[in-house]
Amino acid sequence: MSEYLDNNHVDTFGIFLVEKNQMCPGLYLPFLFVSSFHWGYKKFNADTKKFVSHINKESVNAANLILVPIIESSHWTLLVGNLKNKVWDFYDSLPKKTHRAILPEVISHLYEDTTTSFATDIRRWRIRKIKQVPTQKNSVDCGMYVCKYMEAIIQPEVVVWADVKDWEDNMAKFRAEFAYAILSTTIK
């Protein structure tokens, strides 16, 4: 857990958040999680609809957010659809314009697989780059940052990113907590 996180790790974290929210309703804002494999399998022309089969009109209407972790060129970023305001928020722990370039294709792919689930065309939503988010100083922590972004974003309280400055110092602790959660939890 001291190195790069892969799809299985980020998906496990997302599933932990979903299960926690099911066990303790109201703990988080209502959200939908899209497996990172949804985008990853597209590159292999594989069937990706199974990764979004839980997204339908009812689930979209019940949710505030849709979390879409993206792995592209060995870098993790997070795309968050604000379903009430119809806008995409983009989180990048190693900000570069090239990381953002893939977003229209990711959104289009999600739309193609869930087209009847949304009241509006999600491809037309504005994309905002969220500023002042914690950023990494190395080349391996991007996956853990995406996990922490997801955890922070779904909290009922609005995150003041300018006040969140200690992630780099606490990365070893975050990784240890994640490893402990994996070891002590059975995913159904």
Side-chain angles (χ1 to χ4, degrees):
M1 289 294 293
S2 65
E3 293 296 323
Y4 178 81
L5 297 186
D6 70 14
N7 297 62
N8 293 312
H9 296 111
V10 173
D11 275 13
T12 298
F13 194 90
I15 291 166
F16 282 155
L17 295 175
V18 169
E19 288 187 351
K20 256 172 101 173
N21 205 37
Q22 289 171 345
M23 290 188 302
C24 303
L27 180 64
Y28 302 127
L29 294 172
F31 70 95
L32 296 169
F33 175 74
V34 176
S35 167
S36 59
F37 287 104
H38 183 256
W39 174 244
Y41 274 38
K42 181 193 186 310
K43 298 172 197 170
F44 303 108
N45 294 319
D47 177 26
T48 56
K49 288 186 179 186
K50 60 187 167 194
F51 298 112
V52 292
S53 61
H54 62 292
I55 298 177
N56 54 49
K57 285 182 182 179
E58 294 78 28
S59 64
V60 167
N61 288 335
N64 289 15
L65 305 169
I66 183 166
L67 307 177
V68 186
I70 303 164
I71 180 71
E72 183 69 25
S73 301
S74 300
H75 180 64
W76 284 101
T77 58
L78 180 65
L79 184 64
V80 178
N82 184 316
L83 298 168
K84 304 303 177 198
N85 296 331
K86 296 176 178 42
V87 65
W88 292 105
D89 292 331
F90 181 61
Y91 297 82
D92 188 356
S93 63
L94 204 59
K96 291 184 182 173
K97 286 183 181 182
T98 55
H99 297 160
R100 188 178 168 155
I102 197 72
L103 298 181
E105 194 175 343
V106 171
I107 294 166
S108 288
H109 178 56
L110 178 62
Y111 182 75
E112 289 164 10
D113 282 355
T114 61
T115 192
T116 61
S117 302
F118 298 94
T120 62
D121 186 341
I122 62 174
R123 298 171 298 180
R124 299 192 188 284
W125 295 1
R126 183 169 55 103
I127 301 171
R128 302 183 298 195
K129 183 188 178 325
I130 303 303
K131 298 179 175 153
Q132 296 187 328
V133 296
T135 55
Q136 66 190 80
K137 295 182 178 131
N138 61 33
S139 62
V140 297
D141 283 337
C142 52
M144 216 42 236
Y145 272 82
V146 163
C147 292
K148 294 303 287 180
Y149 291 151
M150 288 190 297
E151 184 178 47
I153 292 162
I154 62 175
Q155 299 298 322
E157 307 83 32
V158 173
V159 180
V160 180
W161 292 111
D163 295 343
V164 182
K165 297 294 181 195
D166 63 344
W167 281 9
E168 187 74 29
D169 296 336
N170 289 311
M171 197 51 59
K173 176 184 156 219
F174 297 153
R175 287 176 176 274
E177 290 170 347
F178 185 29
Y180 177 78
I182 290 171
L183 292 172
S184 64
T185 304
T186 302
I187 298 178
K188 298 172 187 158

